[in-house]
Amino acid sequence: KIAGVLASIRLGISGVGSAKRLALAFLVGYGPVLFTALSYGLPLAKFGAESGVVGGAVLVGIITLGQFTPGLPVGMGVYYFLCAWGARQLGASEPDAAALAALTHTANVIANLIVGAVSMVVRRDAIKDLLTLRRLRREAAARPESDLPPGVEAPARTGG
């Protein structure tokens, strides 16, 4: 049985190319998840929760599964509830659980804004094209269809 397991591992590594590439794939795949779990677990440990750093992974699971519940109108309130409730279940006090929910939400918003800003800088040509198209469509709405430049469609006119 051990020989079969080792043969399977060797076959899997040969498909990836090398053990180094497999380790890199593991890091790329699990790194963000581990970092997220750590970002929830460190405050839990600092607050003195019995779960410590390991509770971060549990808290990420609670938040993720709670927000994917079909039919549940998820949003910021559900996030705050799940985060605070999960932190309380893992041993954080009420004020610490509320602080964890507020601070992690703020950190997520800031991180998303940073990613968006970097994306806008990297893809500035695409943003310029989008803004130009928007301006052309706005101008087209004010012109008769016969005056439109080639390739620009008139937006649907709504009655009113």
Side-chain angles (χ1 to χ4, degrees), residues 5-158:
V5 170
L6 292 175
S8 296
I9 291 172
R10 187 181 71 230
L11 182 63
I13 290 175
S14 69
V16 174
S18 69
K20 185 177 178 181
R21 285 185 64 189
L22 182 62
L24 179 63
F26 178 83
L27 182 65
V28 168
Y30 288 105
V33 176
L34 295 173
F35 182 75
T36 301
L38 191 61
S39 70
Y40 284 89
L42 287 175
L44 282 172
K46 183 71 173 166
F47 294 152
E50 299 118 26
S51 62
V53 176
V54 176
V58 175
L59 192 53
V60 169
I62 289 169
I63 294 166
T64 302
L65 293 175
Q67 289 191 330
F68 285 141
T69 305
L72 184 66
V74 296
M76 188 171 66
V78 172
Y79 174 83
Y80 275 74
F81 168 76
L82 291 168
C83 190
W85 177 82
R88 290 283 296 135
Q89 298 304 309
L90 294 168
S93 67
E94 287 180 21
D96 289 341
L100 179 71
L103 293 174
T104 54
H105 178 253
T106 302
N108 281 322
V109 168
I110 291 170
N112 286 328
L113 289 173
I114 290 170
V115 168
V118 169
S119 177
M120 283 182 61
V121 169
V122 169
R123 301 192 176 275
R124 61 185 162 271
D125 292 336
I127 298 295
K128 286 178 190 175
D129 291 344
L130 180 64
L131 294 174
T132 301
L133 180 62
R134 183 177 177 203
R135 181 183 50 80
L136 288 173
R137 289 194 55 111
R138 193 177 314 123
E139 290 172 2
R143 295 186 197 172
E145 286 193 36
S146 59
D147 284 348
L148 294 179
V152 176
E153 297 179 22
R157 300 190 191 272
T158 57

